[in-house]
Amino acid sequence: MRSDTGRDGGRTFTERARREQILACAVEAIAELGYARASLAEIARRAGVSKGVVSYYFPGKDRLLEQVVADVYTRAGAAIAAATAGRTGAAFLRAYLEANLGFLADHPADIRAVTEIVMNLRGPDGAPRFAPTGEDPVLGHLEQMLRDGQQAGEFRDFDARSMAVLLRGAVDTASGRLVTDPGFDLAAYTRELMATAELATRRVR
Amino acid sequence: MRSDTGRDGGRTFTERARREQILACAVEAIAELGYARASLAEIARRAGVSKGVVSYYFPGKDRLLEQVVADVYTRAGAAIAAATAGRTGAAFLRAYLEANLGFLADHPADIRAVTEIVMNLRGPDGAPRFAPTGEDPVLGHLEQMLRDGQQAGEFRDFDARSMAVLLRGAVDTASGRLVTDPGFDLAAYTRELMATAELATRRVR
Amino acid sequence: MRSDTGRDGGRTFTERARREQILACAVEAIAELGYARASLAEIARRAGVSKGVVSYYFPGKDRLLEQVVADVYTRAGAAIAAATAGRTGAAFLRAYLEANLGFLADHPADIRAVTEIVMNLRGPDGAPRFAPTGEDPVLGHLEQMLRDGQQAGEFRDFDARSMAVLLRGAVDTASGRLVTDPGFDLAAYTRELMATAELATRRVR
Amino acid sequence: MRSDTGRDGGRTFTERARREQILACAVEAIAELGYARASLAEIARRAGVSKGVVSYYFPGKDRLLEQVVADVYTRAGAAIAAATAGRTGAAFLRAYLEANLGFLADHPADIRAVTEIVMNLRGPDGAPRFAPTGEDPVLGHLEQMLRDGQQAGEFRDFDARSMAVLLRGAVDTASGRLVTDPGFDLAAYTRELMATAELATRRVR
DNA sequence: CATGAATGAGGCTTCATTCAT
DNA sequence: GATGAATGAAGCCTCATTCAT
């Protein structure tokens, strides 16, 4: 047993490193070239390994892409959860939006890649694999927090579901801009989105 | 040359009909199957013609897809222009959003298809063909109208560019929801978006 | 409408010709190289066409192989049915075996290919696609004819099922020999098989 | 070299055990999954070892498969030789067929695996590795014993070669049935085959 | 001895495109 | 104008094999 074969969760050190490397290269390739052009060959090329290696670590391209999504979701979710811990109402909303756009600013490629995958990856039956539906947990959480703020009397009486969709749409659009529009000013956008959220949700006297 | 092939702009009647039919089937296929699965064969199948016909009318798949985008943009632009004609400031904004979401409600497949194409179609160099940039005419127009409203004293002093991006993002997200989220309530969303826009842009006393 | 595009059963003349050509080349390749080495590329090469053409005419390799089996079964069945028409008992058995071995002599590659496919082709679940089971129609027919001969008092009281399996095995083994054993004497084998069948089935005084 | 690695014929105890284990798992995998799906990875998985181990003990997959055949042939040959020792003529034939079908009943997977390998394994030139030819020792032995029986006046004057092929075919077909046809009655088949052999070979008065 | 890791060839399939008719 | 036919590239995947540790 050598130092580079230490086990952790059933996986060797090198295996975990390779997996992460491949995931990173997949994100990079998708963010840069788009979903359709991000072939396994391209991902392997960026990782400096042969095509077979990718298949060796992931049982199929779909699984790899799903892993990318799960990976980024996990990291983004953790960052946002940490930033919003213990907050409710307007304070939550501010922290939530700030954390979302902050993650975007720090990991634009990750978000871009996830967006591409979510929009394009389909199951064998042709149905979208990550289609946003009523049960979307991300959206559901935001909606619930908005509803809580309303019950606490902090927010006005808007349709929580629609407002949640609107705010997520405003967040998501930023990721697209960030990658393709070089003139996009994320800081200004963040300020304006937070102001808009504040004005659109606060209880009117 | 037969009697049923009257000329119009250098194109016979049947030719124009075929083109429109193919474009319509392309929209249908992309909206239903997604960008990657909408092959020329599938489009031809839906149009009830052979693959060769598609190639005959459009010099390459890319051109066909570009034409789909141009087509829908033209129709949507006309509808929105008609609805907002002569209006400025808050009145313009209301009419603009209402017309946008109205077009969405009337032509969800068109919007879905265009979204897919815009996100996926790339040039030979790999660069996005329709990437939103600073020169995006759609966005530019909205931005200008917002700026006009500010100068007229009707709107508060927000960053017009960011607000334009935000509102477009809020509009675009609705198209995605409309197709994949069966529980999405477009009417409620429209109301909430218009309320939000009103609250976020009006001059605060 | 030209002479080479005459329709027949929804298929053009060229299409039927190509299909038959591909089927023939598949038989040839499998008989010569064995199941595992008979790739689509090899089949296409023998047909003098590109790999894509095979996929153009058959929706997948499995379907092509299934078609080979169906094809040969149909032809062999027709030949045997014609040779045994109206016969029963020992006369049927003689004609049956003679027709079987005759078809073998005339189309050794076909039989060899079918044998390979039947033994190797598996479904997506890994289960054999043509596994001989109790419901095997070919075997069932022979068994029934043997039983009829017993009831007519022409045959002794053997186990009809076992005898059917035995005779089919004796027929099938000849196809293997014919291809791989250059010294195999089919005529002598035919004589001996018919003599054996006669001796093994006839009513003993 | 430890105490548990006593040498025998140049091979340690564990080495021989490993070889036998791998051979057994190869048989199992081929019998169950068929030739094409029995990959080294699958065989290694069933043996509970890594792929490298298989390569370590056998210099290539072909050699492993050849060894499987040799192994089963050796065991089957020994069993049959023991059962037929000292017998000739009809007595030999009865014992021979009984021992063959008995081995089949006791080791169906072995026979199935060998059948698959014999039918599929090819040399680099594409030629079958185990094709039955005129020099087939198994067949040759049976043929010789039949001839001896004829010269002893016990058998009628059939073509010994053809009869040998016929009987081997009747034996081999049972192995195929045994694996794929759940309703196959091996005991009944054995009885019928022995009766048939008796009737077909005995000297007619 | 044994393992995990990596390779590269080859297979099947899909698809945009071209061309003769 | 329109079609069926054919191509060839590219994609994903599986697998036997090799190698450093």
Side-chain angles (χ1 to χ4, degrees):
Chain A
M1 196 89 42
R2 300 288 172 64
S3 63
D4 72 336
T5 57
R7 296 194 155 269
D8 175 5
R11 295 222 170 90
T12 62
F13 173 77
T14 23
E15 178 162 2
R16 271 185 298 123
R18 263 275 184 270
R19 283 178 65 92
E20 282 173 24
Q21 182 202 13
I22 292 171
L23 287 170
C25 290
V27 162
E28 191 186 292
I30 297 170
E32 201 170 306
L33 305 175
Y35 182 86
R37 293 188 181 236
S39 66
L40 284 192
E42 176 63 25
I43 293 169
R45 198 186 60 73
R46 286 170 186 252
V49 297
S50 85
K51 235 176 7 173
V53 174
V54 180
S55 295
Y56 181 79
Y57 284 97
F58 297 90
K61 193 187 189 187
D62 291 9
R63 291 290 176 80
L64 166 58
L65 299 184
E66 286 168 9
Q67 199 58 47
V68 168
V69 172
D71 217 42
V72 176
Y73 266 35
T74 301
R75 280 186 286 125
I80 292 163
T84 58
R87 289 194 171 76
T88 61
F92 166 84
L93 192 51
R94 275 195 301 274
Y96 180 83
L97 294 174
E98 208 160 23
N100 266 280
L101 294 177
F103 191 88
L104 219 69
D106 294 345
H107 312 283
D110 294 61
I111 297 299
R112 176 67 179 174
V114 165
T115 304
E116 293 263 344
I117 296 171
V118 165
M119 282 204 59
N120 286 292
L121 185 56
R122 311 240 163 174
D125 55 350
R129 216 152 183 77
F130 292 104
T133 68
E135 284 75 36
D136 185 346
V138 172
L139 206 59
H141 179 229
L142 176 56
E143 181 183 349
Q144 189 53 50
M145 294 303 290
L146 291 174
R147 236 184 272 281
D148 290 351
Q150 288 178 321
Q151 284 180 2
E154 237 185 310
F155 291 155
R156 71 176 175 89
D157 188 33
F158 48 75
D159 180 61
R161 181 82 191 160
S162 294
M163 185 62 76
V165 170
L166 194 163
L167 293 173
R168 281 258 31 115
V171 166
D172 292 342
T173 204
S175 84
R177 288 280 152 188
L178 202 55
V179 175
T180 59
D181 183 352
F184 182 63
D185 182 348
L186 182 59
Y189 186 79
T190 303
R191 276 195 303 278
E192 218 52 72
L193 173 55
M194 292 181 69
T196 293
E198 161 81 12
L199 292 169
T201 57
R202 72 173 175 186
R203 188 183 192 83
V204 276
R205 287 142 300 111
Chain B
M1 212 64 53
R2 303 286 176 61
S3 61
D4 70 337
T5 57
R7 297 197 152 268
D8 174 4
R11 294 214 172 95
T12 63
F13 172 77
T14 32
E15 187 164 356
R16 271 183 300 121
R18 269 267 190 272
R19 284 178 66 91
E20 280 172 26
Q21 181 199 15
I22 292 171
L23 287 171
C25 290
V27 163
E28 190 186 294
I30 297 170
E32 201 170 306
L33 307 174
Y35 182 85
R37 293 182 184 239
S39 66
L40 283 191
E42 176 63 26
I43 293 169
R45 196 185 60 73
R46 286 171 186 250
V49 299
S50 81
K51 260 187 317 182
V53 175
V54 179
S55 295
Y56 180 82
Y57 282 100
F58 300 91
K61 193 186 189 187
D62 292 8
R63 291 292 172 77
L64 166 58
L65 299 184
E66 286 168 9
Q67 201 56 47
V68 168
V69 172
D71 212 42
V72 176
Y73 267 33
T74 301
R75 280 186 285 125
I80 292 163
T84 59
R87 288 193 171 80
T88 61
F92 165 83
L93 192 51
R94 275 194 301 274
Y96 180 83
L97 294 174
E98 209 159 22
N100 266 280
L101 294 178
F103 191 88
L104 219 69
D106 294 344
H107 311 284
D110 295 62
I111 297 298
R112 176 67 180 176
V114 165
T115 305
E116 293 263 343
I117 297 170
V118 165
M119 282 203 60
N120 286 292
L121 186 56
R122 311 249 163 169
D125 56 349
R129 209 118 172 118
F130 291 104
T133 66
E135 285 75 34
D136 185 346
V138 172
L139 204 59
H141 179 230
L142 176 55
E143 182 183 349
Q144 190 52 51
M145 294 304 289
L146 291 174
R147 233 183 274 282
D148 290 350
Q150 288 178 320
Q151 284 180 1
E154 235 186 311
F155 291 155
R156 71 174 175 89
D157 187 32
F158 48 75
D159 180 60
R161 179 81 190 161
S162 294
M163 184 61 76
V165 170
L166 195 162
L167 293 173
R168 281 262 24 119
V171 167
D172 292 342
T173 205
S175 85
R177 287 281 151 187
L178 202 56
V179 175
T180 59
D181 184 350
F184 182 62
D185 181 349
L186 182 60
Y189 186 78
T190 302
R191 277 195 302 277
E192 218 52 73
L193 173 56
M194 293 182 68
T196 293
E198 160 82 14
L199 292 168
T201 56
R202 73 174 176 186
R203 185 180 196 84
V204 274
R205 290 139 303 108
Chain C
M1 197 87 43
R2 300 287 173 62
S3 62
D4 72 336
T5 58
R7 299 198 153 268
D8 176 5
R11 295 219 171 91
T12 61
F13 172 77
T14 25
E15 177 162 2
R16 271 185 300 121
R18 265 274 185 268
R19 283 178 65 93
E20 280 173 25
Q21 181 201 14
I22 291 170
L23 286 170
C25 291
V27 163
E28 191 187 293
I30 296 170
E32 199 169 307
L33 306 174
Y35 182 86
R37 291 187 183 238
S39 66
L40 285 192
E42 177 62 26
I43 293 170
R45 197 185 60 73
R46 287 170 184 252
V49 298
S50 84
K51 235 177 7 174
V53 173
V54 180
S55 294
Y56 181 80
Y57 284 96
F58 298 90
K61 193 185 188 187
D62 292 8
R63 291 290 177 79
L64 166 59
L65 299 184
E66 286 168 9
Q67 198 59 47
V68 168
V69 172
D71 217 41
V72 177
Y73 266 35
T74 301
R75 279 186 286 125
I80 293 163
T84 59
R87 289 193 170 79
T88 60
F92 165 85
L93 192 51
R94 274 193 302 275
Y96 180 83
L97 294 173
E98 207 160 25
N100 266 279
L101 294 177
F103 191 88
L104 218 69
D106 294 344
H107 312 283
D110 294 62
I111 297 298
R112 176 65 179 175
V114 165
T115 306
E116 293 264 344
I117 296 171
V118 165
M119 281 204 59
N120 285 292
L121 185 56
R122 310 239 164 176
D125 55 349
R129 213 143 180 89
F130 292 103
T133 67
E135 284 75 33
D136 185 346
V138 172
L139 204 60
H141 179 229
L142 176 55
E143 181 182 350
Q144 189 54 49
M145 295 303 289
L146 291 174
R147 236 184 270 281
D148 290 351
Q150 288 178 319
Q151 284 179 3
E154 234 185 312
F155 291 154
R156 71 175 175 89
D157 187 31
F158 47 77
D159 179 61
R161 179 83 190 159
S162 294
M163 185 61 78
V165 170
L166 194 162
L167 293 174
R168 281 261 25 119
V171 166
D172 293 341
T173 205
S175 84
R177 289 281 151 189
L178 203 54
V179 176
T180 59
D181 183 350
F184 181 63
D185 182 349
L186 182 58
Y189 186 80
T190 302
R191 277 195 303 277
E192 218 51 73
L193 173 54
M194 293 181 69
T196 292
E198 160 81 13
L199 293 168
T201 56
R202 72 172 176 188
R203 187 182 193 85
V204 275
R205 295 140 298 106
Chain D
M1 220 59 55
R2 302 288 173 61
S3 61
D4 70 337
T5 59
R7 298 196 152 270
D8 175 4
R11 293 218 173 94
T12 64
F13 172 76
T14 33
E15 188 165 355
R16 272 184 300 120
R18 269 267 189 272
R19 283 179 66 90
E20 282 174 23
Q21 180 200 15
I22 292 171
L23 287 170
C25 291
V27 163
E28 191 186 293
I30 296 170
E32 201 170 305
L33 306 174
Y35 184 84
R37 293 183 186 239
S39 67
L40 285 191
E42 177 62 25
I43 293 169
R45 196 186 60 74
R46 286 169 186 252
V49 299
S50 82
K51 260 186 317 182
V53 175
V54 179
S55 295
Y56 180 82
Y57 283 99
F58 299 90
K61 193 184 188 186
D62 292 7
R63 291 291 173 78
L64 165 58
L65 298 183
E66 286 167 9
Q67 201 57 47
V68 167
V69 173
D71 211 43
V72 176
Y73 267 33
T74 301
R75 280 187 284 127
I80 293 163
T84 59
R87 289 193 171 80
T88 61
F92 165 84
L93 193 50
R94 275 194 302 275
Y96 179 83
L97 294 173
E98 208 160 25
N100 266 280
L101 294 177
F103 191 87
L104 219 68
D106 294 344
H107 312 284
D110 294 62
I111 297 298
R112 175 67 180 177
V114 165
T115 304
E116 293 262 344
I117 296 170
V118 165
M119 282 203 59
N120 286 292
L121 186 56
R122 310 252 162 166
D125 55 349
R129 211 128 176 106
F130 293 103
T133 67
E135 286 75 33
D136 185 345
V138 172
L139 205 59
H141 178 230
L142 176 56
E143 181 183 351
Q144 189 53 50
M145 293 303 290
L146 291 173
R147 235 183 273 281
D148 291 351
Q150 288 178 321
Q151 285 181 1
E154 234 185 314
F155 291 154
R156 70 175 176 90
D157 187 32
F158 47 76
D159 179 61
R161 179 81 190 160
S162 294
M163 185 61 78
V165 170
L166 194 163
L167 293 173
R168 281 259 26 116
V171 167
D172 292 342
T173 204
S175 84
R177 287 280 151 190
L178 202 55
V179 175
T180 58
D181 184 349
F184 182 63
D185 182 348
L186 182 58
Y189 186 79
T190 302
R191 278 194 303 276
E192 218 53 71
L193 173 55
M194 293 181 69
T196 293
E198 161 82 13
L199 293 168
T201 56
R202 72 172 177 188
R203 187 184 192 84
V204 275
R205 289 142 297 110

